[in-house]
Amino acid sequence: MRRLLSCLLLCLCPLMLFAAEAARPKVGLVLSGGAARGLAHVGVLKALEEQGIHIDAIAGTSMGAVIGGLYASGYKIDELEKLALGIDWKEALSDAPEREDVPFRRKQDDRDFLVKQKLSFRDDGSLGLPLGVIQGQNLALLLESLLAHSSDIRDFDKLPIPFRAVATDIVNGEKVVFRKGHLPQVIRASMSIPAVFAPVEINGQLLVDGGMVDNIPVDVAREMGVDMVIVVDIGTPLRGRKQLNTVFDILNQSITLMTRSNSEVQLASLKPDDILIQPALASYGATDFGRSLDIINAGYRATQVLEKRLAALRQPTDVQLAEARTAEERTPVITAIKIENDSKIGDSVIRYYIRQPVGEPLDLGRLQRDMGTLYGLDYFDQVQYRVVHKGQERTLVISARGKRSGTDYLRLGLNLSDDMRGDSAFNIGASYRINGINQLGAEWLTRVQLGDKQELYSEFYQPLDAGSRYFVAPYINARSQNVEAILDNDPIAEYRLERYGFGLNFGRQIGNSGEIRVGVGEAWGEANVRIGDQNLPSTSFNEGFYDIKYSFDSLDNVYFPHSGEDIALSVRQFEPGLGSDERYRQWEFKLDKALSSGPDTWILGGRYGRTLDTANVVTSSFLLGGARQLSGFREDAISGQNISLMRAVYYRRLTPRSYLPFDFPLYAGASLERGRAWNNDNEFDSGYINAASIFIGFDTPLGPLNFSYGFNDDDQKALYLNLGQTF
């Protein structure tokens, strides 16, 4: 009898377990979009886990797809919270790589007063405009790094928690629900706010933010076979009339209207057993990433309030899910590297910048930096990576998509200074750079400047190997500027110096921060009296020289740096054997060092230039004068065969950090300077001059806009307006 009862119990146990399982409803979690407000989803998930709520399926839109996708792929809630609080959202929501990762040659594009923004042109000469303010480069890389462990999972039902993401086909306005695909790419498509982020192309479809058609995808969750849904609505409320003051307010309101209309339809479909969580987020905006902790806590509190109602869904720990979360391979061993490239440059160039060794675990930090360097070459709309799993093979695939808007760039700039005594300097400039002339990445740069200082410079830059470690750069140059002749510390004339020349440089790049060049060149010209004693002699000259130049640039921002150094050393020997009228030597050293603490920054540095032998004063002089170059003097007002300058510049950021691409930080600062200029013939020596300035500056999308007032103990004062180069 006992044996019979035991057999009956063994037979009934599976049925009892099945009945218990059947009694528990399958729970779907619906996470809506809302940009920064979507971080409330982290708090919601934290509270649900504490209450023992098991989620059987997740459907998400936009930021809901980001949080939901990470959670579904195996991220623990403490990992999600750490990510949300630790991510540099300003960097993630931009395209610019860290400046330390940008190739040295691209760093030098910002060295004159040309503005940051550039117009791009296609090969046929047509103007190329981007499809979004943000291409999503850094965001895509961030998602790839966070989801590298799930790259081999193409069926989202096979994730630790089944997952769906919603996007919108911008061509026909239809909803696209992703059940399969490359998870980071799918999430990126789901959060592509139109005009802000460039659309994502997947399977021939051009995709934007899913919030346009289904911001709260309740219907998607039900199609996954769940019995009930927990809906988290973090939608942005409509603004009142008095809050609509700018074009950006109107744009945000328009987007909110579109998302709210489809959200209300989905909310109306909720059943009595469904649970709606609406965190109190009225005081938080879509860009308030700086208030991440408060937003997370708002989601947590809103879920805790529903603890009694959620209690019916409580169940023991899901052992299978816990195992899935601890067994994921976050750093796979890479067995091969493959390049997918449709740009102008060859695969070998791209491969050169990828330092990941084959046969070693994936180094995500180093790979992120390599991606930044590749993107900084200015050949690509996006550079992405993924890990493809096939059996025991782990292939790192680098996907480089060439710029659809063109790779030829035009930049403009201007500067103005006025000494308040009727003497001013005004310059406008432009540069045009043709990229990708051949597969090694040859470039042709032409720069033109008109005004007080005139210049035409054209250089052909030809790398000699993949990665541009070695290069040759022939150039031509024509330049005209004013140089003052000074006797006994008084200007006696102003010469117009014209110089024409050509040369050839051979060089080597040193990582992303340095470059050394060795060159030979020839120049000729004349110097005629423009203002002053017309009886003074005019000068014609010929120059032949060889030189060596070393440059190092590790500044984090060339306009308003907070860390890093800028170093330049040049030595030039003029030789009669190369066509020079005189034999003499010159060298110049420049240094700027940035030090910061919070919003406060110090720039310490200066210049020192020497002419070591007898030479014509007009043609061999260095120039000083201008904002923070002995303030109070107009630009290039002081000339001498030898110069020295020491300076300390202080500035403080006065505005909070913005997480949108439209960031206009305001700085206020001052400088202290001490400098001297003198000639070798002892007929001119300015003595040491002490100078100071105060300034305000805006770091605009076009470049820095600076207003400065300078004065010195030589009784000189000047106002300066600069758009472009600052230091």
Side-chain angles (χ1 to χ4, degrees):
M1 189 66 179
R2 285 182 181 177
R3 291 180 180 177
L4 181 60
L5 288 172
S6 297
C7 291
L8 287 171
L9 286 172
L10 289 172
C11 294
L12 289 172
C13 276
L15 296 175
M16 294 169 64
L17 291 172
F18 178 80
E21 180 69 20
R24 186 188 73 82
K26 288 186 69 175
V27 179
L29 180 65
V30 180
L31 303 179
S32 67
R37 296 160 61 93
L39 296 176
H41 296 318
V42 177
V44 171
L45 287 168
K46 182 179 180 180
L48 290 176
E49 280 205 355
E50 289 180 356
Q51 296 176 39
I53 309 301
H54 171 66
I55 303 300
D56 297 284
I58 299 175
T61 297
S62 196
M63 184 60 86
V66 177
I67 304 299
L70 291 171
Y71 190 73
S73 73
Y75 272 85
K76 302 175 185 176
I77 191 61
D78 58 332
E79 293 177 314
L80 279 181
E81 190 171 14
K82 186 177 179 179
L83 282 174
L85 299 175
I87 289 175
D88 186 341
W89 291 100
K90 171 67 176 176
E91 179 185 349
L93 298 176
S94 71
D95 292 321
E98 292 287 337
R99 196 166 183 271
E100 65 177 335
D101 299 329
V102 174
F104 181 81
R105 184 162 177 83
R106 294 287 74 83
K107 290 180 179 179
Q108 302 311 294
D109 292 342
D110 301 321
R111 280 297 161 193
D112 48 29
F113 58 80
L114 301 177
V115 302
K116 286 191 288 187
Q117 299 302 320
K118 49 187 181 287
L119 298 174
S120 60
F121 294 85
R122 302 183 179 92
D123 291 345
D124 61 2
S126 62
L127 178 65
L129 296 174
L131 296 178
V133 176
I134 304 171
Q135 297 303 304
Q137 170 67 18
N138 290 346
L139 182 59
L141 291 179
L142 176 64
L143 292 172
E144 290 287 353
S145 67
L146 296 177
L147 295 166
H149 63 286
S150 60
S151 294
D152 61 330
I153 301 177
R154 299 293 169 167
D155 185 349
F156 298 160
D157 283 336
K158 296 182 179 179
L159 292 168
I161 301 175
F163 174 72
R164 300 288 186 271
V166 178
T168 303
D169 189 331
I170 195 64
V171 176
N172 54 30
E174 293 182 356
K175 179 169 69 175
V176 179
V177 179
F178 283 99
R179 300 167 173 80
K180 298 181 179 181
H182 184 52
L183 186 57
Q185 188 182 39
V186 165
I187 293 174
R188 166 71 180 84
S190 180
M191 61 178 303
S192 294
I193 302 173
V196 177
F197 286 99
V200 177
E201 185 175 348
I202 301 178
N203 299 327
Q205 294 177 298
L206 206 59
L207 303 171
V208 298
D209 197 303
M212 299 294 99
V213 291
D214 196 355
N215 197 49
I216 307 178
V218 176
D219 54 340
V220 176
R222 295 200 193 281
E223 290 172 1
M224 299 176 73
V226 299
D227 300 308
M228 62 162 296
V229 292
I230 298 174
V231 177
V232 186
D233 177 17
I234 47 93
T236 305
L238 293 172
R239 296 189 176 191
R241 173 63 181 86
K242 294 182 178 180
Q243 296 174 298
L244 301 175
N245 301 312
T246 70
V247 63
F248 302 112
D249 295 334
I250 298 298
L251 177 61
N252 288 331
Q253 187 84 333
S254 301
I255 295 173
T256 301
L257 285 169
M258 285 186 287
T259 57
R260 291 310 304 177
S261 61
N262 66 66
S263 295
E264 290 172 1
V265 172
Q266 294 293 336
L267 292 176
S269 70
L270 294 181
K271 301 176 182 179
D273 292 338
D274 297 329
I275 297 174
L276 176 62
I277 302 174
Q278 293 178 305
L281 300 173
S283 61
Y284 303 98
T287 61
D288 282 337
F289 290 96
R291 305 170 68 185
S292 297
L293 182 59
D294 295 334
I295 296 174
I296 292 172
N297 288 336
Y300 181 83
R301 289 192 300 269
T303 310
Q304 287 290 80
V305 170
L306 300 172
E307 183 177 5
K308 291 184 178 179
R309 190 175 176 190
L310 290 167
L313 302 177
R314 189 173 297 156
Q315 69 169 25
T317 302
D318 189 331
V319 177
Q320 186 178 358
L321 179 60
E323 290 178 352
R325 288 177 172 173
T326 57
E328 296 293 345
E329 187 183 17
R330 298 282 172 91
T331 55
V333 175
I334 301 302
T335 59
I337 297 176
K338 179 183 176 183
I339 306 297
E340 295 178 348
N341 172 33
D342 66 354
S343 71
K344 290 183 175 181
I345 60 175
D347 293 355
S348 61
V349 176
I350 297 172
R351 182 65 181 90
Y352 170 81
Y353 287 103
I354 304 301
R355 296 172 294 169
Q356 171 66 45
V358 174
E360 294 187 11
L362 180 64
D363 189 332
L364 287 173
R366 182 169 58 188
L367 184 57
Q368 292 286 99
R369 295 190 296 272
D370 294 345
M371 294 292 102
T373 301
L374 277 173
Y375 188 76
L377 293 173
D378 265 353
Y379 291 111
F380 313 104
D381 274 335
Q382 277 196 340
V383 184
Q384 299 177 335
Y385 68 88
R386 64 185 188 274
V387 180
V388 177
H389 298 232
K390 187 177 181 181
Q392 297 300 314
E393 296 181 358
R394 303 291 186 269
T395 302
L396 175 64
V397 180
I398 307 298
S399 178
R401 188 179 70 191
K403 273 189 176 291
R404 303 300 190 260
S405 58
T407 56
D408 302 342
Y409 300 103
L410 173 68
R411 300 177 73 177
L412 305 170
L414 70 90
N415 74 5
L416 172 69
S417 65
D418 192 304
D419 64 2
M420 298 187 299
R421 297 182 179 181
D423 201 352
S424 61
F426 177 79
N427 292 284
I428 60 174
S431 75
Y432 193 78
R433 171 163 51 92
I434 301 175
N435 277 1
I437 296 176
N438 53 44
Q439 290 204 336
L440 286 177
E443 304 174 5
W444 184 11
L445 171 68
T446 300
R447 185 169 63 242
V448 178
Q449 181 173 310
L450 300 174
D452 185 67
K453 186 185 298 178
Q454 300 173 0
E455 182 182 21
L456 170 64
Y457 179 85
S458 188
E459 178 188 80
F460 186 84
Y461 178 88
Q462 176 61 63
L464 299 178
D465 63 345
S468 301
R469 289 177 299 174
Y470 297 94
F471 61 88
V472 293
Y475 67 89
I476 59 172
N477 189 26
R479 187 169 184 155
S480 178
Q481 65 187 85
N482 298 328
V483 178
E484 289 188 349
I486 302 175
L487 181 65
D488 297 328
N489 287 1
D490 292 318
I492 60 173
E494 185 177 79
Y495 280 83
R496 189 65 175 177
L497 175 62
E498 297 179 357
R499 180 182 274 112
Y500 311 90
F502 60 89
L504 176 67
N505 287 318
F506 174 81
R508 189 189 193 287
Q509 287 198 60
I510 307 171
N512 288 330
S513 299
E515 179 188 86
I516 187 166
R517 291 189 175 208
V518 178
V520 60
E522 186 173 340
W524 62 93
E526 59 183 12
N528 299 308
V529 176
R530 176 176 174 268
I531 299 174
D533 188 354
Q534 297 297 315
N535 294 320
L536 290 172
S538 297
T539 302
S540 61
F541 59 89
N542 292 284
E543 297 174 335
F545 56 86
Y546 56 85
D547 57 13
I548 183 170
K549 299 177 182 177
Y550 171 75
S551 302
F552 179 85
D553 182 358
S554 64
L555 297 177
D556 63 336
N557 186 310
V558 72
Y559 304 118
F560 292 98
H562 298 87
S563 64
E565 300 87 33
D566 182 24
I567 304 170
L569 173 65
S570 64
V571 180
R572 177 169 289 186
Q573 175 79 43
F574 294 85
E575 282 290 342
L578 296 175
S580 185
D581 294 332
E582 301 173 292
R583 176 183 284 111
Y584 65 98
R585 293 163 293 165
Q586 285 187 310
W587 64 274
E588 184 179 17
F589 177 72
K590 300 178 182 179
L591 169 66
D592 283 304
K593 170 71 176 178
L595 303 166
S596 293
S597 177
D600 302 301
T601 300
W602 288 91
I603 307 291
L604 305 176
R607 295 174 59 195
Y608 192 79
R610 290 295 308 271
T611 302
L612 300 180
D613 307 283
T614 301
N616 183 285
V617 172
V618 176
T619 60
S620 64
S621 289
F622 298 96
L623 300 176
L624 273 179
R628 293 171 287 282
Q629 299 280 344
L630 279 187
S631 299
F633 294 99
R634 60 177 173 80
E635 187 176 351
D636 297 338
I638 303 174
S639 63
Q641 290 180 302
N642 310 281
I643 60 168
S644 69
L645 173 69
M646 298 179 292
R647 66 184 179 189
V649 182
Y650 165 81
Y651 52 85
R652 179 182 178 89
R653 177 163 180 161
L654 302 180
T655 55
R657 195 179 190 193
S658 172
Y659 293 92
L660 287 174
F662 309 105
D663 190 14
F664 298 86
L666 171 64
Y667 298 89
S671 69
L672 294 174
E673 307 142 46
R674 180 177 175 85
R676 175 192 175 200
W678 71 100
N679 292 333
N680 291 338
D681 57 13
N682 295 321
E683 292 187 356
F684 166 64
D685 189 338
S686 70
Y688 282 103
I689 300 172
N690 299 309
S693 73
I694 56 175
F695 64 90
I696 59 171
F698 297 86
D699 194 2
T700 75
L702 294 178
L705 179 62
N706 276 277
F707 301 90
S708 306
Y709 172 71
F711 53 93
N712 57 56
D713 60 9
D714 198 41
D715 198 29
Q716 301 286 323
K717 305 176 182 66
L719 289 172
Y720 309 98
L721 167 65
N722 294 92
L723 177 61
Q725 175 66 12
T726 309
F727 297 101

